[in-house]
Amino acid sequence: MSLLFNRFLTASSAYASTSSRLAVRIGRNGVASSLTIRLPSTYIPSATFSTSKPPNKTLPSSNDANFIDGRPSLEYAKKSMQLHSFSSMPHEQIIQLSAEGIGGARREALLRNIMAVDEVEYDDAEAVVDNIAEVNRERMFLQALPYHVGFGAAVSAGVLSIPLVFHLGTVEAFNTMFVTADVPEPKDLETWLEVGSWSWAWMEPLIGQASFMLLTMQFARSQLTNMGLKPYSNWMRHRRAQRLVARFPQYNSSLLRQFSEVDKYYNGWNSDK
C-alpha cells in the first residue's frame, strides 16, 4: 500500500502543471477497483508551517492614552469620574440603568423627556419632576397603611412573646385573665426556664398556629404570583402608576410608570438603590 501511495505522489507532481487524469488500479483477491483523480491545471503551492509565534498585535493608539501596562492612566481616570452623577451620563447608559431598576436613572430619563416635550432647561425640568413626585405620593400613606400595621404587629408580638413565656409576673397575669390553669408549686417556678416550661403549655399552640398561618399565607401569595395575579403591593403600584399617567398625559407613559414604581413614601426615588 505504501508503494502505491508513493507512485501516486510521483504522478501528481509530474502532472501538476497540466490538466490530466490519474487512474490507479488495485487488484486484491481477484477483485479489481479503480481510483480516478483529476489534477488542477495550475500549480498549487504546498502549505508551509511555522512554529514561531505570531507577532503581538498592538492596541489602537486611541487606547494607549487610556491604559498604560494594563492600568488606567490619570487622564482616563479624570475623564471617567465625570460620570459620577446621572445628569452627566449619556442617554444609552441612562436607558440601561433604568431597565435595571435604578431609581436615579429612571428619574433622569423622565427629566430628559420633560425637557424634550416642554422645551425647557434642566433646572426647570427638575421642578416638574419634583411636582410629579409629589403627585405620585398623594395618598401613599394610606396605601402603605397595611405595611405599617403589619410592621407594628410583628415587632409587638415578637417583643411581648418573651415575657409571656419566661417572666413569672406576666405569665401569672396572663394565666389569670385567659387560661386559668393550675399554678405549679413555688419550688417549680424558681427559674425562668421553669416558668417557660409552665407557660409553654398554652403558648405553644398560639405561637405554632400563628407561624403556620403566616406560612400558608406566604404560600398562597406565591401561587397568586405564579398565576399572574397581582398581590396587594403590585396592584397598588400599578394603580398609582396609572393615576400618574392620567395626570400627565403629555409625557412618556412608560417613563412615568417606571418612575412611579421606584418612588417610595420614605426616601423617595433614591430608596431602592
Side-chain angles (χ1 to χ4, degrees):
M1 192 67 184
S2 60
L3 179 61
L4 174 64
F5 191 71
N6 291 334
R7 291 180 178 179
F8 166 72
L9 293 179
T10 304
S12 62
S13 60
Y15 293 97
S17 58
T18 59
S19 176
S20 61
R21 175 180 296 179
L22 176 64
V24 180
R25 300 182 182 274
I26 303 175
R28 184 178 179 181
N29 298 329
V31 179
S33 60
S34 62
L35 174 65
T36 302
I37 301 177
R38 296 180 181 274
L39 297 178
S41 59
T42 58
Y43 173 72
I44 303 177
S46 59
T48 58
F49 299 92
S50 175
T51 58
S52 61
K53 296 182 179 180
N56 295 329
K57 295 182 179 181
T58 59
L59 295 175
S61 59
S62 59
N63 294 336
D64 294 341
N66 296 336
F67 292 91
I68 301 177
D69 296 332
R71 299 177 180 180
S73 63
L74 177 61
E75 295 298 329
Y76 182 70
K78 291 180 178 180
K79 184 188 305 182
S80 62
M81 287 307 296
Q82 295 177 358
L83 301 178
H84 67 281
S85 62
F86 293 105
S87 59
S88 59
M89 294 181 182
H91 294 327
E92 295 78 7
Q93 192 170 3
I94 291 295
I95 294 175
Q96 178 181 358
L97 295 177
S98 298
E100 295 176 0
I102 306 299
R106 292 189 174 186
R107 178 183 182 273
E108 182 67 23
L110 178 60
L111 191 149
R112 298 184 185 187
N113 178 248
I114 294 172
M115 294 177 62
V117 173
D118 295 346
E119 297 184 356
V120 295
E121 295 298 332
Y122 192 89
D123 295 338
D124 298 330
E126 278 189 316
V128 178
V129 171
D130 294 339
N131 181 39
I132 293 177
E134 292 179 1
V135 173
N136 187 58
R137 295 169 194 167
E138 292 177 356
R139 295 176 291 179
M140 188 179 289
F141 178 81
L142 295 177
Q143 295 172 348
L145 187 60
Y147 302 128
H148 293 86
V149 174
F151 172 78
V155 173
S156 300
V159 173
L160 291 176
S161 64
I162 298 176
L164 285 173
V165 175
F166 299 110
H167 185 256
L168 179 59
T170 306
V171 170
E172 289 178 339
F174 189 86
N175 178 53
T176 303
M177 297 176 60
F178 302 104
V179 185
T180 66
D182 295 335
V183 180
E185 295 294 332
K187 63 178 182 179
D188 296 330
L189 299 176
E190 294 178 351
T191 64
W192 60 277
L193 291 176
E194 292 177 332
V195 174
S197 178
W198 174 42
S199 64
W200 196 245
W202 61 81
M203 290 300 297
E204 181 181 14
L206 294 177
I207 297 177
Q209 179 59 32
S211 301
F212 181 74
M213 181 179 178
L214 292 176
L215 179 63
T216 55
M217 292 298 101
Q218 184 179 6
F219 179 77
R221 185 184 188 278
S222 64
Q223 300 313 309
L224 289 176
T225 304
N226 293 336
M227 291 186 294
L229 301 178
K230 295 181 179 295
Y232 173 76
S233 57
N234 294 338
W235 173 81
M236 180 188 63
R237 285 194 290 266
H238 178 73
R239 286 284 303 274
R240 188 169 62 238
Q242 291 297 106
R243 181 171 58 88
L244 195 65
V245 171
R247 290 283 297 272
F248 300 94
Q250 67 272 28
Y251 304 125
N252 186 279
S253 59
S254 298
L255 297 179
L256 285 171
R257 291 191 185 94
Q258 292 178 0
F259 176 75
S260 178
E261 291 175 357
V262 298
D263 191 29
K264 304 296 191 303
Y265 183 76
Y266 297 103
N267 299 325
W269 51 267
N270 200 27
S271 60
D272 56 335
K273 296 180 180 179

